[in-house]
Amino acid sequence: MKNVLVIGSTGQIGSELTMRIREMIPDGNVVAGYIKGAEPKGVLLESGPSAEADVCNGEQLLGIVKKYRIDTIYNLAALLSAVAEKKPQLAWHIQIDGLMNILEIARENGCAVFTPSSIGSFGPETPRQNTPQDTIQRPRSMYGCTKVATELLSDYYFHKYGVDTRSVRFPGLISNVTLPGGGTTDYAVEIYYAAVKGEEFVCPIAPGTFMDMMYMPDALKAAIDIMNADPSRLVHRNSFNIASMSFDPEILKAKIIEHVPGFKMRYEVDPVRQAIADSWPDKMDDSCAREEWDWAPSYDLEGMTVDMLDALKKKLL
Ligand code: SER
């Protein structure tokens, strides 16, 4: 990995991943790809090259790959699960037609490609506890349909053309730099913002709904480590279960109250998000990632909560 294009560099993952890769390879070209209306600003803009990189515009992507001699593409363009339910055709266009553009360019130009999958790639028939690496995937959401198709297409390009595609199934990601937009797990980010601002949090997910969650530093480590992994050890490619913690809104609230006494939360369940959450696993088994590329998370709920509250106090107060 030397010259890298991050598509979706101003999103929740991209804004932090681009900076992390720039720190890692200071002599490389790490291009912050963006779409119109979501241009990079501040340190992201100033610390390296940026370019308009719309996944639906293959010519534009090819121009960037050639200009910067890109060897690795992080494809982070996606509509998250709740938004994708409102705009299913657009979600397919971005997530699948866009991916085809990227995979074709990768095939012709020798690029490795990371396109994240998700807990959303599973469905109601999937075993919920210790969800195996290889198991039934029959998602009911459009987000999930695109994620299963992403895994299949990425593996297809590896087996048929030798394109070096690899990825992970991210849990809900909790971070303090850029907010997610329109996901089912967003509540677990927004709750920290409310706690720091001293506001009551209105939770859209019902008590008792467990989902895998992960703190962003662990997610960044996974995204980088999988692309640097020794390929001879990889039995799987698209995509690896990775896990670090699983909780429901009550457990998260109780943890925050330990640090913010008096924090208040009430429920106003959003039926769209709740139906999606009910179809996702409670906790994935990530033993294949541990065995094949030494995956190990650093943060648990306590460690993440201390760090989130500290970072948000500095940012918001
Ligand atoms: N965080 C995503 C969502 O909630 C799942 O990968 O849509």
Side-chain angles (χ1 to χ4, degrees):
M1 198 186 315
K2 174 88 201 280
N3 297 322
V4 180
L5 169 61
V6 182
I7 296 172
S9 70
T10 59
Q12 187 198 11
I13 304 172
S15 57
E16 296 196 50
L17 184 65
T18 309
M19 296 305 297
R20 181 66 60 88
I21 299 174
R22 281 180 178 164
E23 285 159 19
M24 208 173 75
I25 37 175
D27 56 340
N29 289 314
V30 182
V31 182
Y34 61 88
I35 49 164
K36 275 206 178 77
E39 288 82 1
K41 297 188 192 91
V43 67
L44 185 60
L45 178 66
E46 287 148 21
S47 59
S50 53
E52 192 182 339
D54 182 343
V55 282
C56 301
N57 184 341
E59 258 176 55
Q60 192 178 60
L61 298 179
L62 182 60
I64 301 167
V65 165
K66 296 254 188 237
K67 179 173 175 191
Y68 293 100
R69 299 184 310 282
I70 296 296
D71 56 63
T72 305
I73 300 172
Y74 279 90
N75 168 26
L76 307 176
L79 297 188
L80 290 182
S81 54
V83 179
E85 283 314 288
K86 291 204 184 100
K87 302 175 183 175
Q89 295 83 2
L90 182 61
W92 183 268
H93 185 48
I94 292 170
Q95 268 121 263
I96 302 304
D97 298 336
L99 175 63
M100 278 298 268
N101 287 334
I102 292 166
L103 290 171
E104 273 300 293
I105 289 168
R107 178 169 76 83
E108 285 165 359
N109 295 272
C111 308
V113 181
F114 174 94
T115 310
S117 187
S118 159
I119 50 173
S121 70
F122 296 113
E125 292 96 1
T126 303
R128 301 181 75 90
Q129 298 297 335
N130 297 319
T131 304
Q133 170 66 38
D134 301 310
T135 186
I136 189 164
Q137 288 177 278
R138 303 282 301 172
R140 301 270 175 95
S141 67
M142 177 49 87
Y143 181 74
C145 292
T146 67
K147 288 302 173 188
V148 174
T150 292
E151 294 187 8
L152 293 173
L153 264 180
S154 299
D155 269 346
Y156 179 83
Y157 267 71
F158 170 66
H159 290 296
K160 188 164 175 92
Y161 301 117
V163 176
D164 187 0
T165 56
R166 311 175 184 193
S167 85
V168 296
R169 294 179 182 133
F170 279 131
L173 297 182
I174 295 159
S175 65
N176 52 59
V177 175
T178 306
L179 282 166
T184 300
T185 57
D186 294 11
Y187 90 88
V189 180
E190 290 156 1
I191 191 172
Y192 285 104
Y193 279 75
V196 168
K197 288 188 203 155
E199 293 168 0
E200 181 185 41
F201 181 61
V202 181
C203 187
I205 299 293
T209 311
F210 282 76
M211 287 184 275
D212 273 299
M213 300 281 181
M214 182 173 288
Y215 197 30
M216 186 59 85
D218 279 331
L220 300 181
K221 184 155 73 87
I224 291 168
D225 287 355
I226 181 65
M227 297 313 281
N228 284 332
D230 173 359
S232 70
R233 288 180 60 198
L234 299 180
V235 179
H236 299 86
R237 279 180 169 264
N238 302 283
S239 300
F240 282 93
N241 286 1
I242 55 167
S244 62
M245 62 187 98
S246 168
F247 52 72
D248 83 326
E250 285 294 301
I251 291 173
L252 183 53
K253 178 183 81 174
K255 177 54 72 184
I256 290 174
I257 288 173
E258 285 176 26
H259 297 273
V260 185
F263 171 64
K264 294 247 172 329
M265 179 171 101
R266 68 185 164 82
Y267 289 94
E268 256 178 45
V269 173
D270 168 8
V272 173
R273 283 182 166 82
Q274 187 62 42
I276 294 172
D278 285 339
S279 74
W280 287 356
D282 290 2
K283 189 167 191 344
M284 291 186 286
D285 173 359
D286 62 359
S287 50
C288 290
R290 290 174 184 267
E291 278 159 30
E292 293 173 39
W293 48 280
D294 305 321
W295 156 249
S298 301
Y299 285 88
D300 60 9
L301 179 55
E302 168 69 14
M304 175 177 80
T305 298
V306 168
D307 206 68
M308 273 296 282
L309 293 173
D310 190 47
L312 288 179
K313 273 179 203 152
K314 287 184 190 132
K315 179 173 168 171
L316 301 173
L317 303 180

